Amino acid sequence: MFPTRNDLPESTRTAMIALLNERLADAIDLRLRAKHAHWNVKGPQFIALHELFDDLADAVAELSDDLAERAVQLGGVAHGLIGQVESGSKLPAYPTKAVSGHDHVEALADALAALAKATRAAIETAEQHGDAVTVDLFTQASGVLDKQLWLLEAHLHAKN
């Protein structure tokens, strides 16, 4: 850990850095999945989903940046390298043979829901450690993730 004048106890900062890096791995993984779907989606709703997946990737990229920067503010190191993301992500496996819009939406919705759930758990953990700023960050992230999930799930309710 790097020295900082941040007055949170070192034990709190250590716990929050680990928690932030856990969600950072998930968020980077989700962003890569959204870009994968963006590039590879096929079907009659191509353009709508192509744009939706790109918007999701952008929203999660901003979230990733916020998570990483908070970890560094607390004296930590942000774990954003591909190997760290691969070993750290807790998202469910992505179906590599997904081609149709429906398949990609289902896979992304599952991953997004998992990250949203983990983010809500992170709010509670940050509260227990008394880090109001990290609580706020995870609370804002939860709202972004819930909105993105709503946008994806709207496509699952359509009759094709």
Side-chain angles (χ1 to χ4, degrees):
M1 183 150 20
F2 292 96
T4 177
R5 289 176 180 82
N6 186 303
D7 67 341
L8 287 172
E10 185 174 336
S11 61
T12 296
R13 290 185 291 116
T14 299
M16 293 303 91
I17 291 164
L19 183 63
L20 288 156
N21 274 312
E22 289 171 9
R23 298 298 67 81
L24 177 60
D26 293 342
I28 293 171
D29 187 7
L30 179 58
R31 181 186 180 278
L32 292 171
R33 291 169 187 227
K35 290 306 284 189
H36 173 82
H38 166 79
W39 297 320
N40 291 294
V41 66
K42 308 274 188 273
Q45 296 180 339
F46 165 79
I47 196 64
L49 292 176
H50 181 75
E51 292 173 0
L52 177 66
F53 298 156
D54 210 26
D55 289 346
L56 171 59
D58 289 346
V60 177
E62 186 174 334
L63 169 61
S64 299
D65 196 49
D66 291 342
L67 295 169
E69 288 177 357
R70 181 65 180 157
V72 175
Q73 290 164 18
L74 295 174
V77 173
H79 297 163
L81 298 173
I82 196 69
Q84 295 167 319
V85 171
E86 183 178 32
S87 67
S89 179
K90 304 293 187 257
L91 299 182
Y94 197 89
T96 57
K97 295 186 189 256
V99 173
S100 74
H102 182 82
D103 291 345
H104 284 295
V105 171
E106 282 278 353
L108 288 171
D110 288 345
L112 191 50
L115 178 52
K117 181 178 181 179
T119 299
R120 276 186 277 287
I123 294 168
E124 292 180 24
T125 302
E127 284 175 340
Q128 292 167 357
H129 283 85
D131 182 357
V133 174
T134 302
V135 168
D136 187 50
L137 173 62
F138 283 129
T139 301
Q140 290 177 14
S142 180
V144 169
L145 296 170
D146 284 350
K147 180 178 180 182
Q148 293 299 316
L149 183 58
W150 167 63
L151 294 171
L152 284 174
E153 287 182 333
H155 288 271
L156 297 175
H157 296 291
K159 293 182 181 178
N160 294 333

